[in-house]
Amino acid sequence: MLEKSISQAVEKGEMLPLMEEFYTIQGEGSHTGKAAYFIRVGGCDVGCHWCDVKESWDPEKHPPTAVDAIVANAAKYSKTIVVTGGEPLTWDMGPLTTGLKSEGMQVHIETSGAYPLSGSWDWICLSPKKMKMPLPEVYEAAHELKVIIFNKHDFAFAKVEAEKVSSNCKLYLQPEWSVREKMIPLITEFVMDNPEWHVSLQTHKYLNIP
């Protein structure tokens, strides 16, 4: 009976499979350099081969945690919250964002956009993946498009994806970490030729912080 009630709470978004939560510096994209509290939610079936948190994929490995407890922890650290994964939109984000906003927090999400948009967000970072493409509603709502560059074919993919977001959406190219030395010169050249794009680096990895 307890397992059923927990399962129902997860379905409603009242509990979430929490992988980890930590206070650090946002290392990527438009908010690089800002202090932020990260909430990493387990569960993702997008399956990026270069994913650096594959341990987040299986939600069964991460304990269902009450949203109220997650909000209470976050409130101790920062007014800027980043919800990431995994793929957070696997779950109903409504209760979590309602709780965070009730504490006066700015709430950001990092998502592949492969699932319907739930929750109320101050900033949506869309990072599309070829293996499971974003839904139209997420393209329309995205504040930031961040395309990971693993090989030279990803530049053409980035151009196509940029046509799907709003004109106000900020555009970023980010080298996949394991090939950064090879890709950074190509990204630099591309951005200089296409100045509507910006370079994003995983600066937290250079800083050796989470």
Side-chain angles (χ1 to χ4, degrees):
M1 195 68 180
L2 180 61
E3 284 189 10
K4 184 178 180 181
S5 65
I6 290 174
S7 177
Q8 289 173 341
V10 170
E11 283 182 22
K12 294 176 183 176
E14 295 166 356
M15 299 183 82
L16 294 169
L18 181 65
M19 178 180 166
E20 59 180 347
E21 47 190 344
F22 51 92
Y23 186 42
T24 187
I25 304 295
Q26 169 62 281
E28 305 177 8
S30 187
H31 295 277
T32 294
K34 293 182 181 179
Y37 189 78
F38 276 69
I39 298 168
R40 188 181 302 281
V41 181
C44 184
D45 63 358
V46 177
C48 307
H49 65 91
W50 37 256
C51 177
D52 56 3
V53 278
K54 288 187 173 73
E55 60 272 25
S56 71
W57 289 4
D58 184 358
E60 299 295 326
K61 293 181 178 178
H62 309 295
T65 305
V67 161
D68 289 348
I70 298 173
V71 171
N73 279 342
K76 299 173 187 175
Y77 293 94
S78 180
K79 288 294 186 183
T80 301
I81 309 299
V82 180
V83 181
T84 187
E87 173 44 68
L89 293 180
T90 303
W91 318 101
D92 183 352
M93 289 284 109
L96 178 62
T97 60
T98 296
L100 293 169
K101 283 181 166 292
S102 73
E103 295 290 335
M105 299 176 186
Q106 291 281 307
V107 190
H108 303 189
I109 186 172
E110 298 178 341
T111 179
S112 68
Y115 287 90
L117 194 60
S118 60
S120 176
W121 306 99
D122 297 294
W123 193 265
I124 298 171
C125 173
L126 172 61
S127 186
K129 307 300 187 294
K130 297 173 187 174
M131 52 285 287
K132 196 162 188 174
M133 295 292 286
L135 300 178
E137 66 193 75
V138 189
Y139 284 116
E140 293 167 10
H143 301 94
E144 172 183 341
L145 177 72
K146 183 175 68 184
V147 179
I148 308 303
I149 303 297
F150 183 74
N151 58 48
K152 62 183 180 180
H153 303 294
D154 291 327
F155 291 104
F157 175 68
K159 283 187 170 183
V160 171
E161 293 301 280
E163 293 174 1
K164 301 175 184 177
V165 296
S166 76
S167 59
N168 296 322
C169 185
K170 295 188 175 183
L171 307 177
Y172 287 89
L173 298 178
Q174 179 172 295
E176 196 280 321
W177 183 252
S178 70
V179 294
R180 63 191 182 282
E181 292 184 9
K182 182 167 65 173
M183 289 296 114
I184 284 175
L186 300 181
I187 290 173
T188 302
E189 182 179 358
F190 182 91
V191 170
M192 291 173 71
D193 290 341
N194 301 271
E196 68 274 20
W197 288 89
H198 303 80
V199 177
S200 172
L201 299 174
Q202 292 181 293
T203 57
H204 56 291
K205 293 187 178 180
Y206 289 102
L207 294 171
N208 198 28
I209 58 176

